[in-house]
Amino acid sequence: MLSALEGRFTPLLSVPLTVEYEAVMTRSKHLLASGLNEVEVNDLLDALIAVSAPVRLSFLWRPTLRDPDDDMVLEVAVNGQADAIVTFNLRDFSMVRTRFGIPILSPGEAYERIKSL
C-alpha cells in the first residue's frame, strides 16, 4: 500500500502485516530464492519499517478476499487511507477498487506513476 503526500510515496504497515512479511520472507524457499539469510531479511524489514507509516487497525474487513493474508493488506489500505495497493496479485484484488475505491496497481504501473512525479 502506498500513500502519497507532497509528491512522495510512503508504504503503510500494521503490526500483523509486518509479522506476516517476516514469516513469509524467512521461509526456506524464499531465503533460497532471494539469496538472503534471516539476518539480512530482518535488516531489510527494519529498513521498510523505518520508512513506513504505521497503521492502527480500527476496522477489520474479514473475510473479503480469497486469501486471509490478502485481507491483512486490504485492512491496512482501508484503515490507512491508501492511495493505491501495489501488488502482482491483480486478479485477487480486482474487486477492491469497486468496493473500496482504492486503485490496484502492478509494481510496473506504480513505478511509472512515481517516475512521472
Side-chain angles (χ1 to χ4, degrees), residues 27-72:
R27 290 179 187 157
S28 298
K29 67 180 182 180
H30 293 143
L31 291 172
L32 183 61
S34 70
L36 300 175
N37 61 44
E38 284 192 40
V39 171
E40 293 166 324
V41 165
N42 286 324
D43 289 345
L44 179 62
L45 286 170
D46 287 345
L48 177 62
I49 292 165
V51 299
S52 296
V55 174
R56 184 171 182 260
L57 301 178
S58 300
F59 298 99
L60 301 181
W61 297 97
R62 296 174 192 215
T64 299
L65 303 172
R66 288 185 328 161
D67 182 345
D69 293 334
D70 290 343
D71 281 333
M72 280 194 282

Side-chain angles (χ1 to χ4, degrees), residues 9 12 19 21-22 24-25 33-34 38 49 53 59-60 64 66-67 69 74 87 89 92 94 100-101 103 109:
F9 287 86
L12 304 175
V19 170
Y21 283 170
E22 180 181 29
V24 171
M25 292 173 68
S34 70
E38 284 192 40
I49 292 165
F59 298 99
L60 301 181
T64 299
R66 288 185 328 161
D67 182 345
D69 293 334
L74 175 63
T87 181
N89 189 1
D92 287 350
S94 63
F100 295 95
E109 291 169 321

Side-chain angles (χ1 to χ4, degrees), residues 1-4 9-12 77 80-86 102 105 110 114:
M1 288 79 38
L2 294 176
S3 179
F9 287 86
T10 303
L12 304 175
Q81 299 177 334
D83 295 311
I85 294 175
V86 179
I102 301 171
L105 305 174
I114 291 169

